[in-house]
């Protein structure tokens, strides 16, 4: 039965929904849409709640929801350990993480994942790399309370800046896995280092900057800059309201760049204003790249820009000119699920919602902040809503079982009656009277074969002749010629010639091993021609 997974990205401008219908080893994107967050004097959280509810009202089927905690509420830390034993590393992570964050460990929720080990500058050749995330318990509780007001509870609360997974030519190296052995075999360094790619997910209020290695996040930072700064710059430059500036930005705005062609003087001026407004974001991106280079000793070579802000005309080109990075697309990692052939890549503005949905659909482990007191508890509301249908289904199944059992019993009863009639006929023919008692018939059959029929001898005459031939000493040891072998009931007579008297004794000893031979008497031994001895044996036998 198909199941629907829904990833929900709650932004300040719009809430994005991506619904994926999953079945047995296959999946397809069922729907992708956004619900704008209404403008107004109400607090942002209230307006976001209304937008989520409005979006959920468009989903007319049962689903499992997945969400994320914003990156500015997370403390992302990279931890290095000189050992590869997963058990020892996991035991040491809390102590190492506590020294890297401001809050006490008792006040945060944390999770982690192993990263593939690289042999880069500043890295130890053997050991483990850990990407750990911590969030204040108060922030996690507030996020879950927000979702409670919307009417749904996300099964997982991922770290928004670390949930992206994409396909790269070089697959990720698996993390160390603890086995029954004490030591885990360390991962070998990657011979050809995969290209690093910067993912820029530009939203209205915040931007996720994620460095991907083989399609997997290894470094992340969230800056509180986005499309709102561009809107504010236009409003200030043209003395307009935020609503007017937002409309102008989306309909006529474009960032000045090498290939930018303005339609008129106003668009030219808007291009200059927007290009200047993006400078602080560029500065934050450069700081992020510098920090990454310092930690990893490697340079990022490519970039991909997604999110709602990526739809702004000229933004991607302007960032490419400022950062000097090659722009390349990325394909979402769908794991082992077969994708419907009719599926088309989603718009970049759905990047985070799509990543959340596919994370739930893949079923693989990701950093999840629903831990401890915030662990997800399954809701039985669906069962309560469909209680009547389920009860009717259970009654139908029970009735089917009863009918099937009654029919089987009736059939077995008829077969039993038929077998009893046949048993009565057979026992009448054998014993002269009918008998339907199985144990009694078995005793009569055993007694008939064992007591009334003549016994079968243990050995027949042929068997005795075979035993004599087999037990007689080998020709290499003695010279033996049997002239007469007379086998009668309970009595056997053997006459022949042999090379010596000692050989006769040897032969008698061998014949005593035959089961039926009870007593062996030697007759007179006389000498014949060529020094041979003539002998005779009288054997008392219990068979044939």
């Amino acid at each position: 039965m198909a199941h629907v997974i829904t990833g929900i990205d709650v932004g300040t401008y719009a809430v994005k929904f991506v619904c994926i219908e999953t079945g047995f080893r296959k999946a397809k994107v069922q729907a992708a849409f956004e619900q704008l967050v209404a403008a107004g004097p109400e607090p942002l959280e209230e307006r976001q709640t209304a937008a989520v509810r409005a979006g959920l009202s468009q989903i007319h089927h049962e689903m499992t929801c997945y969400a994320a905690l914003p990156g500015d509420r997370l403390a992302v830390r990279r931890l290095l350990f000189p050992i590869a034993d997963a058990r020892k590393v996991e035991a040491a992570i809390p102590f190492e993480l506590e020294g890297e964050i401001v809050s006490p460990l008792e006040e945060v929720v944390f999770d982690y994942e192993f990263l593939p080990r690289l042999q880069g500058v500043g890295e130890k050749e053997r050991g483990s790399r850990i990407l750990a995330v911590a969030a204040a318990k108060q922030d996690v509780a507030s996020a879950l309370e927000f979702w409670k007001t919307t009417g749904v509870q996300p099964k997982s609360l991922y770290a928004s800046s670390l949930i992206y997974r994409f396909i790269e030519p070089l697959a990720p190296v698996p993390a160390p896995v603890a086995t029954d052995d004490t030591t885990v075999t360390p991962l070998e360094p990657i011979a050809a280092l995969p290209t690093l790619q910067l993912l820029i997910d530009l939203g209205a209020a915040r931007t996720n900057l994620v460095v991907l290695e083989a399609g997997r996040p290894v470094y992340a930072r969230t800056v509180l800059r986005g499309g709102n700064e561009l809107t504010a710059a236009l409003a200030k430059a043209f003395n307009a309201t935020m609503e007017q500036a937002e409309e102008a930005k989306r309909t006529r705005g474009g960032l000045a760049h090498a290939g930018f062609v303005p339609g008129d003087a106003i668009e030219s001026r808007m291009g200059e204003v927007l290009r200047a407004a993006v400078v602080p974001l560029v500065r934050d991106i450069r700081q992020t790249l510098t920090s990454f280079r310092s930690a990893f000793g490697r340079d990022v070579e490519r970039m991909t820009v997604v999110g709602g802000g990526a739809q702004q005309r000229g933004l991607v080109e302007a960032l490419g000119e400022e950062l000097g990075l090659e722009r390349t697309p990325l394909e979402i990692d769908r794991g082992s699920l077969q994708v419907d052939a009719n599926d088309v890549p989603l718009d970049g503005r759905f990047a985070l919602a799509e990543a959340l949905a596919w994370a739930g659909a893949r079923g693989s482990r990701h950093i999840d902040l629903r831990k401890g007191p915030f662990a997800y508890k399954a809701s039985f509301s669906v069962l309560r809503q469909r209680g009547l249908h389920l009860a009717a289904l259970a009654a139908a199944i029970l009735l089917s079982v009863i009918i099937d059992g009654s029919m089987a019993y009736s059939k077995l009863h008829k077969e039993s009656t038929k077998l009893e009639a046949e048993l009565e006929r057979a026992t009448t023919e054998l014993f002269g009277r009918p008998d339907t008692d199985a144990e009694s018939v078995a005793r009569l059959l055993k007694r008939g074969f064992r007591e009334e029929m003549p016994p079968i001898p243990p050995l027949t005459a042929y068997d005795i002749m075979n035993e004599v031939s087999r037990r007689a000493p080998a020709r290499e040891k003695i010279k033996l010629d049997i002239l007469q072998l007379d086998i009668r009931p309970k009595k056997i007579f053997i006459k022949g010639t042999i090379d010596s008297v000692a050989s006769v004794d040897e032969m008698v000893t061998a014949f005593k091993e035959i089961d039926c031979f009870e007593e062996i008497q030697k007759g007179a031994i006389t000498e014949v021609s060529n020094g041979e001895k003539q002998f005779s044996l009288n054997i008392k036998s219990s068979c044939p």
Side-chain angles (χ1 to χ4, degrees):
M1 182 178 179
H3 181 62
V4 176
I5 302 293
T6 302
I8 305 178
D9 172 19
V10 181
T12 58
Y13 177 78
V15 179
K16 285 91 171 177
F17 298 80
V18 172
C19 301
I20 297 176
E21 183 178 330
T22 61
F24 180 68
R25 295 184 179 177
K26 62 181 180 179
K28 68 175 181 179
V29 177
Q30 188 182 73
F33 62 93
E34 67 177 1
Q35 183 69 40
L36 298 182
V37 177
E42 296 82 4
L44 174 62
E45 186 171 309
E46 292 183 10
R47 291 183 281 123
Q48 288 175 323
T49 300
V52 172
R53 287 176 176 173
L56 292 174
S57 67
Q58 301 180 44
I59 303 175
H60 305 292
H61 44 67
E62 299 296 336
M63 56 102 182
T64 302
C65 167
Y66 290 84
L69 196 65
D72 56 299
R73 298 295 182 182
L74 305 173
V76 181
R77 298 292 184 268
R78 185 176 68 106
L79 307 178
L80 301 178
F81 294 89
I83 56 177
D85 188 331
R87 290 196 187 95
K88 294 181 180 178
V89 170
E90 289 174 347
I93 286 174
F95 304 99
E96 188 73 16
L97 180 61
E98 190 170 22
E100 295 284 337
I101 59 178
V102 177
S103 302
L105 209 58
E106 296 78 14
E107 297 179 6
V108 301
V109 179
F110 72 92
D111 198 5
Y112 56 89
E113 62 181 1
F114 284 86
L115 294 178
R117 186 173 59 83
L118 293 176
Q119 192 174 3
V121 177
E123 297 277 2
K124 296 185 178 180
E125 292 188 1
R126 303 175 69 87
S128 302
R129 298 189 308 165
I130 304 297
L131 199 59
V133 175
K137 288 184 178 180
Q138 182 178 356
D139 291 339
V140 176
S142 298
L144 294 179
E145 184 62 29
F146 165 80
W147 285 105
K148 186 177 180 180
T149 61
T150 65
V152 296
Q153 277 294 321
K155 186 174 182 179
S156 294
L157 191 64
Y158 295 128
S160 64
S161 56
L162 299 176
I163 196 57
Y164 307 95
R165 295 291 187 276
F166 298 96
I167 296 176
E168 281 280 326
L170 288 176
V173 176
V177 179
T179 62
D180 294 335
D181 300 329
T182 302
T183 303
V184 176
T185 303
L187 294 173
E188 293 299 327
I190 300 176
L193 297 179
T195 304
L196 298 172
Q197 184 142 347
L198 176 65
L199 176 70
I200 304 174
D201 190 346
L202 183 62
R206 59 176 66 86
T207 299
N208 287 334
L209 304 175
V210 185
V211 178
L212 303 170
E213 175 188 86
R216 178 175 179 172
V218 294
Y219 188 86
R221 181 186 177 207
T222 300
V223 296
L224 295 179
R225 299 186 190 278
N228 290 345
E229 276 67 32
L230 304 183
T231 304
L234 286 177
K236 182 178 179 180
F238 291 89
N239 195 25
T241 64
M242 288 293 289
E243 290 76 13
Q244 293 172 335
E246 181 69 27
E247 179 66 19
K249 182 184 73 172
R250 293 183 176 275
T251 56
R252 301 187 61 185
L255 276 74
H257 60 278
F260 178 64
V261 180
D264 52 30
I266 294 179
E267 289 189 4
S268 177
R269 172 59 179 159
M270 290 176 65
E272 295 174 357
V273 171
L274 292 175
R275 183 63 182 257
V278 84
V279 169
L281 176 62
V282 172
R283 183 173 60 248
D284 288 332
I285 295 175
R286 285 174 175 164
Q287 290 176 352
T288 301
L289 295 177
T290 301
S291 177
F292 176 81
R293 187 185 305 112
S294 175
F296 284 77
R298 300 179 61 201
D299 290 321
V300 176
E301 302 173 7
R302 301 180 297 181
M303 77 170 187
T304 298
V305 184
V306 296
Q311 311 304 309
Q312 183 64 52
R313 184 162 60 100
L315 176 65
V316 177
E317 291 79 5
L319 289 178
E321 292 177 2
E322 292 285 351
L323 301 174
L325 300 177
E326 176 188 354
R327 287 173 285 152
T328 56
L330 286 171
E331 180 183 354
I332 198 77
D333 182 9
R334 298 169 178 84
S336 60
L337 296 172
Q338 297 179 1
V339 184
D340 193 292
N342 297 323
D343 274 3
V344 295
L346 296 180
D347 194 313
R349 59 198 166 130
F350 294 104
L352 180 54
E354 186 181 15
L356 293 170
W358 280 111
R362 286 192 303 266
S364 54
R365 186 188 182 283
H366 298 279
I367 291 178
D368 188 357
L369 298 173
R370 295 214 66 169
K371 303 175 73 69
F374 307 112
Y376 176 76
K377 296 179 182 178
S379 173
F380 296 97
S381 58
V382 176
L383 296 179
R384 289 192 294 268
Q385 293 172 5
R386 300 188 176 181
L388 184 60
H389 297 82
L390 293 175
L393 179 61
I397 293 175
L398 181 60
L399 181 61
S400 299
V401 171
I402 293 174
I403 294 175
D404 183 69
S406 300
M407 294 178 64
Y409 175 78
S410 176
K411 183 179 179 180
L412 289 174
H413 181 70
K414 291 179 180 179
E415 291 181 357
S416 176
T417 303
K418 183 179 178 181
L419 290 174
E420 285 186 0
E422 292 181 359
L423 183 59
E424 287 181 357
R425 180 181 56 79
T427 52
T428 301
E429 292 178 358
L430 288 173
F431 310 123
R433 58 183 178 82
D435 192 345
T436 57
D437 185 3
E439 294 183 0
S440 174
V441 172
R443 285 196 301 270
L444 290 173
L445 289 174
K446 290 179 180 179
R447 186 180 65 182
F449 281 109
R450 293 184 179 179
E451 298 178 10
E452 297 179 7
M453 294 183 64
I456 299 175
L459 294 177
T460 63
Y462 177 81
D463 294 332
I464 291 176
M465 183 176 65
N466 183 54
E467 284 291 314
V468 169
S469 175
R470 191 170 62 86
R471 300 285 184 176
R475 291 182 179 180
E476 292 79 7
K477 294 183 178 181
I478 64 173
K479 183 178 179 182
L480 173 65
D481 186 10
I482 296 180
L483 303 176
Q484 181 181 352
L485 176 59
D486 187 9
I487 302 175
R488 298 177 182 276
K490 311 300 181 182
K491 182 179 180 181
I492 300 169
F493 176 75
I494 299 176
K495 182 178 180 181
T497 60
I498 199 166
D499 56 0
S500 65
V501 176
S503 296
V504 175
D505 294 335
E506 184 179 351
M507 184 174 57
V508 169
T509 302
F511 287 167
K512 286 182 178 180
E513 296 181 2
I514 299 175
D515 292 339
C516 289
F517 289 5
E518 297 178 350
E519 182 180 351
I520 302 177
Q521 293 181 354
K522 293 186 292 184
I525 299 176
T526 60
E527 185 172 349
V528 295
S529 60
N530 298 327
E532 294 181 351
K533 311 296 182 183
Q534 181 173 294
F535 71 94
S536 62
L537 298 176
N538 290 295
I539 303 172
K540 184 179 179 182
S541 173
S542 60
C543 56

